[in-house]
Amino acid sequence: MPELPIQRVGIFGGTFDPPHFGHLVAASEAAAQCLLDEVVFVPAGDPWQKQHRRITDAASRLALTRLAAEPDPRFRVSTCDIDRPGHTYAVDTVADVRAEYDHPVDLYFIFGADSLENLRTWHRVDELCKVVKFIAVNRPGHSRREVDTSTGIEVEFVDMPGVGISSSECRRRVANAEPIRYLVPDAVDDYIAERGLYRS
């Protein structure tokens, strides 16, 4: 019996600097609760909202994201944002990911529920709303009751277990020679150590 084509695709963008178990749990919960066939991790190329800090080079972040996503058959990694010159905008990411499939797919954009209040400020958001549905993952310290849902945009909420890990905390710990084992996959930890990433 031929394998059914992928129909429901979640797009999970981020700097992934580095990717950690919080990212993986969020993607897994979104896939399980929203019945996604696949979650596509999209490391940012030049994220316009992160201009206030230095971002690790794209090649390293891509390698780390691939190492983190590889063990789960539901996950894959797209290089579309890294390959595209200039700033990274969600509307362009969605168009590029759609073009990676040779058949129609339903696209879902996964993001943290704490970003919902700023959704109306996103670049070409009205165009984005026409081509994708939104999945808001409730991060630790936030709940759907605390989120402003007056945007008028249809959003499906996903509750995830409390995983109090952040990329900034992982970077800080490495810079201070503190372990990040059990905060990130072993392969990610090994790559960071081998390449000397995030050291002060």
Side-chain angles (χ1 to χ4, degrees), residues 56-86:
T56 305
D57 66 280
S60 294
R61 290 185 292 107
L62 175 60
L64 290 168
T65 307
R66 282 176 167 160
L67 289 170
E70 184 178 25
D72 195 317
R74 299 170 300 175
F75 299 164
R76 75 174 180 87
V77 179
S78 172
T79 63
C80 64
D81 278 0
I82 289 175
D83 294 339
R84 185 190 322 105

Side-chain angles (χ1 to χ4, degrees), residues 82-144:
I82 289 175
D83 294 339
R84 185 190 322 105
H87 290 329
T88 293
Y89 296 110
V91 66
D92 299 317
T93 301
V94 169
D96 287 348
V97 170
R98 183 180 293 278
E100 294 174 358
Y101 296 88
D102 59 4
H103 61 277
V105 291
D106 295 326
L107 296 179
Y108 297 79
F109 197 88
I110 303 168
F111 64 104
D114 52 322
S115 298
L116 182 58
E117 295 173 1
N118 299 320
L119 187 55
R120 274 294 174 193
T121 69
W122 289 15
H123 184 63
R124 292 157 55 195
V125 68
D126 290 332
E127 180 181 341
L128 180 64
C129 290
K130 294 176 182 177
V131 295
V132 73
K133 298 173 184 176
F134 295 95
I135 297 174
V137 178
N138 285 315
R139 293 175 173 171
H142 297 84
S143 75
R144 68 188 71 195

Side-chain angles (χ1 to χ4, degrees), residues 126-173:
D126 290 332
E127 180 181 341
L128 180 64
C129 290
K130 294 176 182 177
V131 295
V132 73
K133 298 173 184 176
F134 295 95
I135 297 174
V137 178
N138 285 315
R139 293 175 173 171
H142 297 84
S143 75
R144 68 188 71 195
R145 293 184 299 277
E146 298 169 335
V147 172
D148 178 8
T149 56
S150 62
T151 58
I153 298 172
E154 184 178 349
V155 177
E156 185 168 354
F157 284 88
V158 166
D159 292 314
M160 66 174 279
V163 182
I165 306 172
S166 69
S167 294
S168 59
E169 174 65 8
C170 291
R171 294 192 302 272
R172 185 200 66 77
R173 291 183 66 85

Side-chain angles (χ1 to χ4, degrees), residues 20-73:
H20 51 70
F21 282 123
H23 293 127
L24 299 178
V25 170
S28 179
E29 289 298 313
Q33 295 184 37
C34 298
L35 304 179
L36 304 179
D37 299 311
E38 185 167 73
V39 175
V40 182
F41 286 70
V42 186
D46 183 14
W48 68 274
Q49 292 177 317
K50 297 287 181 78
Q51 295 300 307
H52 62 284
R53 76 168 181 86
R54 183 169 175 262
I55 306 295
T56 305
D57 66 280
S60 294
R61 290 185 292 107
L62 175 60
L64 290 168
T65 307
R66 282 176 167 160
L67 289 170
E70 184 178 25
D72 195 317

